[in-house]
Amino acid sequence: MFTEAQFNRSTLECMTALRRRLKQELGVTVRLSDVDAVEHMIRLSRDSRLGDIRELGLRLADMTTPEAEPEPEMQLGQGAIASRQRLLQQTPAPAFEAPPPLRQNESAPVRIYRGQVVR
């Protein structure tokens, strides 16, 4: 089945033309309201001996085939911030190491924060 984005006026015209030709030449009635109408018409057109029916079937198959999404391009020139962010994403975070326990004679390190002694 194809998506709604692929269903437009030209697709509908191709479907009706192919349906009409299949009914004239092969005597097969395909209802457009059927769930697998597009696949059924394409299958019948492949098996046909007539060139115009095969051509209409190929056109319909091209119109209803989903397009492949383009692959993202690699960014060669990037800014300093983007390159650092990419580097940070690639490197694993360092493991946190606890400070070694204090010995009996050692006192806790003295830190000064905004002019105040912090222990």
Side-chain angles (χ1 to χ4, degrees):
M1 191 68 187
F2 56 95
T3 62
E4 286 184 28
Q6 296 166 330
F7 188 74
N8 53 29
R9 187 179 192 122
S10 62
T11 307
L12 182 62
E13 289 174 355
C14 184
M15 287 173 64
T16 54
L18 180 58
R19 177 178 175 258
R20 189 177 305 118
R21 290 293 294 145
L22 287 171
K23 187 172 183 176
Q24 288 174 354
E25 298 301 323
L26 302 176
V28 178
T29 303
V30 179
R31 296 188 188 274
L32 296 181
S33 61
D34 291 344
V35 176
D36 63 340
V38 175
E39 291 86 7
H40 186 65
M41 286 193 292
I42 292 172
R43 215 174 316 117
L44 288 172
S45 67
R46 285 184 192 147
D47 299 337
S48 177
R49 292 176 287 136
L50 301 172
D52 61 334
I53 293 178
R54 283 194 307 264
E55 183 180 325
L56 281 170
L58 287 174
R59 239 178 69 203
L60 182 61
D62 288 341
M63 288 181 186
T64 57
T65 305
E67 297 177 11
E69 295 182 16
E71 294 182 18
E73 297 179 14
M74 298 231 3
Q75 295 179 352
L76 297 178
Q78 55 186 341
I81 294 174
S83 65
R84 287 188 186 110
Q85 287 174 343
R86 182 171 290 169
L87 181 64
L88 286 174
Q89 290 172 353
Q90 292 174 352
T91 57
F96 176 75
E97 295 179 21
L102 296 175
R103 295 183 191 137
Q104 272 186 333
N105 298 346
E106 275 186 42
S107 62
V110 177
R111 294 185 184 175
I112 299 177
Y113 178 74
R114 293 190 177 181
Q116 301 291 325
V117 177
V118 179
R119 293 184 190 250

